């Protein structure tokens, strides 16, 4: 601790705690952490990224140089006493995307925005799977068991979505540099991203059972925590899913889906 002489107060030292990585999370999902897009002094970039950005700004690296970042993590047992597995993932980014400049900043923010869009799509896919499951009566009388089953349905659907877009999104990020037509690059990804999300959602919908198509009325809590009757069925869940991804990627991509 440091002491402030004039006011006589103690100043807590600045402390940074590494975030624990999740095995199911891909390196590109960590882009906003690897290449920080937030003007926040409490968010600290990896020093290797800062160093590469400095070299690039001083023109010490070719701007068309692809740099591979590899993330490594470990998982512990339930008591966190021993290591159960080691996992890793990687991402390739052009050197000029890392540079600390206004132009590179635009690229970083746009890539981070598309990462968030993917997360929104994953949530939409997961909600579709859980809503269809509710339509068929998965939560039944045993609410606790039902909630666990719904969480598993949602988690598995999200995993399937991320698996389907992983290679495509990694390739897209590694194609972006300062000479890219950013608007065209984003539009190209929106076409791909919409198509992949749509296909995953369509498959989940087409595998619905007759009971899930027929649907049922359930009680849910509204924002005021009041019990309200709500009718849910697979077609309605699918309609909400399509509306969500259309709001993310735009209606112009619907026919391409």
């Amino acid at each position: 601790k440091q002491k402030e002489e004039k006011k006589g107060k103690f100043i807590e030292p600045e402390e940074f705690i590494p975030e624990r990585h999740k095995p199911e999370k891909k390196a590109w999902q960590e882009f906003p952490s690897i290449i920080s897009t937030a003007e926040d002094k409490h968010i600290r970039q990896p020093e290797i990224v800062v160093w590469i950005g400095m070299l690039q700004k001083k023109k010490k690296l070719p701007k068309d140089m692809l740099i591979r970042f590899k993330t490594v993590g470990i998982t512990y047992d339930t008591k966190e006493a021993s290591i159960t597995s080691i996992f890793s993932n990687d991402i390739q980014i052009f050197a000029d995307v890392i540079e600390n400049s206004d132009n590179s900043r635009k690229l970083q923010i746009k890539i981070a925005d598309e990462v968030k869009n993917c997360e929104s799509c994953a949530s939409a896919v997961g909600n579709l799977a859980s809503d269809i499951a509710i339509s068929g009566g998965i939560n039944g009388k045993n609410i606790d068991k039902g909630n666990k089953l719904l969480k598993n349905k949602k988690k598995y659907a999200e995993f399937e979505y991320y698996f389907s877009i992983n290679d495509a999104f990694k390739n897209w990020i590694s194609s972006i540099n300062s000479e890219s037509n950013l608007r065209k690059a984003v539009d190209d990804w929106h076409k791909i991203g919409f198509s992949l999300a749509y296909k995953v959602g369509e498959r989940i919908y087409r595998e619905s059972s007759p009971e899930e198509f027929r649907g049922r009325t359930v009680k849910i809590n509204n924002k005021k925590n009041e019990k309200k009757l709500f009718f849910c069925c697979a077609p309605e869940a699918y309609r909400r899913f399509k509306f969500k991804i259309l709001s993310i990627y735009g209606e112009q991509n619907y026919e391409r889906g």
Side-chain angles (χ1 to χ4, degrees), residues 238-252:
Y238 188 50
R239 184 195 66 79
R240 289 196 299 269
F241 162 76
K242 289 193 293 184
F243 178 82
K244 181 61 179 179
I245 61 171
L246 283 172
S247 70
I248 295 170
Y249 289 130
E251 294 183 7
Q252 68 273 15

Side-chain angles (χ1 to χ4, degrees), residues 119-135 150 153-155 157-158 204 237-238 240-241 244:
E119 291 174 347
S120 296
C121 278
S123 179
V125 170
N127 288 338
L128 171 65
S130 61
D131 287 349
I132 289 177
I134 291 173
S135 301
L150 288 177
K153 283 274 186 180
K154 182 179 175 68
K155 185 176 180 180
E158 290 177 351
I204 293 172
Y238 188 50
R240 289 196 299 269
F241 162 76
K244 181 61 179 179

